[in-house]
Amino acid sequence: RDYKVTGVQTCALPICENNSFRTNLVNWQYSQAMESAWTYFAAGDSARALEAISAALKGKPNDPDALALQKEVIALHEKAAALQQQATIAEHLRKAEEMMAAKNYGGVRSEANAVLKLFPENGQALALLKEVSNREQEDQQRQRAREKEQAEVRRQERLALPKKTFDSVLDRKSVV
């Protein structure tokens, strides 16, 4: 009997039959993995596509088709991740603006800090934090001014109390 190994060599030994089987199994696994990779890639599932490509590369290390697809999937995955990050940042900034309008400064600070964790140099988030700080200082100044005004009103009332008491006594005596 002759046994084929990868379609090139023939051999009359039983080991050749094992090698042929092993080679065919590797080729089949590679083909299945690449087919799965393309299917996942087309569906936009980059994580599973990369897993399938990894399986294909185990069967055929440095395969140019698998490496090219891997590069394409990684680029798509990075682009999708960047778009998701931009959407997340935009949502945090939108919420921060709403909270600023509602004077929820703690919420603004929280949303702006969430943006800065994703993108530390985000100018809009930094500007929001600065505006929150300024508004809080202005609110504190207004509050101190109101407190001073109320304290002055109470002081004036205390100062006027003896005169009112005296005037009320005089009014009672003039009636009698």
Side-chain angles (χ1 to χ4, degrees):
R1 274 177 20 185
D2 283 345
Y3 297 93
K4 288 187 176 184
V5 177
T6 65
V8 174
Q9 201 175 7
T10 59
C11 172
L13 300 173
I15 195 163
C16 292
E17 189 173 275
N18 275 347
N19 286 342
S20 176
F21 176 76
R22 194 172 295 129
T23 300
N24 287 338
L25 180 61
V26 167
N27 286 337
W28 179 81
Q29 288 173 332
Y30 166 82
S31 296
Q32 290 297 309
M34 285 300 289
E35 185 177 324
S36 295
W38 277 107
T39 302
Y40 290 133
F41 179 63
D45 189 345
S46 58
R48 286 191 175 169
L50 288 171
E51 287 175 13
I53 293 166
S54 177
L57 288 170
K58 284 180 185 172
K60 285 189 178 180
N62 300 320
D63 177 66
D65 292 336
L67 292 172
L69 180 58
Q70 183 181 46
K71 185 177 179 181
E72 197 171 337
V73 170
I74 289 171
L76 179 68
H77 181 73
E78 289 172 352
K79 184 176 181 180
L83 289 173
Q84 179 60 42
Q85 184 181 41
Q86 287 175 351
T88 301
I89 288 171
E91 181 63 15
H92 282 300
L93 292 172
R94 184 193 62 75
K95 287 179 182 178
E97 293 290 346
E98 285 178 3
M99 291 177 182
M100 183 68 83
K103 295 186 178 184
N104 177 354
Y105 301 136
V108 173
R109 190 174 282 107
S110 175
E111 293 295 332
N113 284 329
V115 169
L116 293 174
K117 283 182 183 176
L118 296 172
F119 186 54
E121 300 300 319
N122 185 282
Q124 194 172 353
L126 292 170
L128 282 167
L129 288 176
K130 186 175 181 179
E131 186 175 348
V132 163
S133 179
N134 290 341
R135 287 190 181 190
E136 285 175 334
Q137 286 177 357
E138 291 169 1
D139 287 352
Q140 288 172 355
Q141 288 172 350
R142 279 192 290 276
Q143 180 64 27
R144 282 193 296 271
R146 271 193 300 274
E147 288 171 358
K148 272 185 172 179
E149 202 173 281
Q150 290 170 351
E152 180 60 24
V153 167
R154 287 192 303 272
R155 189 179 78 76
Q156 290 299 327
E157 287 173 352
R158 282 194 311 272
L159 289 174
L161 191 57
K163 183 177 181 332
K164 285 182 186 176
T165 306
F166 182 73
D167 288 345
S168 121
V169 170
L170 287 178
D171 285 342
R172 273 192 243 149
K173 284 192 178 192
S174 64
V175 173
V176 179

